[in-house]
Amino acid sequence: MRLISLRYDGQLHRVWQRMEPGSLPGSYRIPAGAAVQERDGTTWSSDYPVVALFWPKVFYQVFVLLKPDVTDYYANVITPAIFGSDLVVFIDLDLDVRIENDAVSLVDVDEFTRRSHLYPQSWRNEAVAAAKQLVAMAKRGIGPFRPALAAALRAEFVHESSSSSRTVVS
């Protein structure tokens, strides 16, 4: 499966080349080292596994960054995702919320300010509301930022990784 991020004008923004559905509805596992291609053709990858969380009709998505010693988060304010059989597509609305070492910050406000006049008014309203909601949830450690959810996702990824790397001897 692939995860495709578009810009407001339909142009490609970023493509995660490999992900698999997780056990929770709307969750997708992205293994460490999975290629992410930028619009300009450059690629990068994370050194750790990531779980992408989506909800229908919601103007945000959350990446749970399963780093070796800590769980951090990166949340994108987006249009509601469209789910296909082998891909998930969304329009990135620039605003992001980063949670690193329990510090919550709203980022890319300058990008949103620069481009938001090109968005429909309803997107602008939803984007601002989604950013506020994400910051509030992150600061309180609720919703997708619950420590218990992160622990469950980490356990699922570790279990899946160890299951797929086992060698069967007959």
Side-chain angles (χ1 to χ4, degrees):
M1 292 189 73
R2 294 183 309 149
L3 174 58
I4 300 174
S5 172
L6 302 174
R7 288 290 183 196
Y8 68 92
D9 58 3
Q11 291 190 39
L12 187 65
H13 175 224
R14 183 172 290 139
V15 178
W16 286 259
Q17 298 290 344
R18 186 171 152 225
M19 67 177 190
E20 306 163 352
S23 63
L24 299 174
S27 71
Y28 299 89
R29 297 184 311 235
I30 302 168
V36 182
Q37 183 175 359
E38 297 290 333
R39 177 182 172 165
D40 66 4
T42 60
T43 60
W44 57 273
S45 64
S46 295
D47 295 335
Y48 44 82
V50 174
V51 177
L53 302 174
F54 290 89
W55 300 267
K57 302 179 185 176
V58 173
F59 273 76
Y60 59 81
Q61 74 75 219
V62 175
F63 285 115
V64 182
L65 311 176
L66 301 173
K67 297 177 179 179
D69 299 326
V70 66
T71 300
D72 288 331
Y73 302 87
Y74 198 92
N76 289 293
V77 174
I78 64 170
T79 59
I82 299 169
F83 302 91
S85 61
D86 65 344
L87 54 82
V88 176
V89 180
F90 63 88
I91 297 173
D92 188 305
L93 298 178
D94 298 310
L95 288 174
D96 301 310
V97 176
R98 180 182 293 151
I99 300 92
E100 289 182 305
N101 298 315
D102 296 323
V104 179
S105 55
L106 181 63
V107 296
D108 297 335
V109 175
D110 55 336
E111 290 180 31
F112 179 76
T113 301
R114 203 171 42 249
R115 286 193 274 251
S116 65
H117 71 281
L118 300 167
Y119 304 163
Q121 183 64 48
S122 61
W123 286 8
R124 290 193 299 263
N125 296 342
E126 292 285 357
V128 170
K132 287 179 182 176
Q133 183 180 9
L134 284 164
V135 167
M137 288 189 299
K139 286 182 176 180
R140 293 179 56 205
I142 62 173
F145 308 107
R146 293 185 326 271
L149 176 59
L153 293 172
R154 186 177 290 279
E156 176 184 332
F157 225 119
V158 169
H159 172 73
E160 184 67 27
S161 297
S162 63
S163 294
S164 63
S165 64
R166 287 188 190 141
T167 304
V168 177
V169 179
S170 50

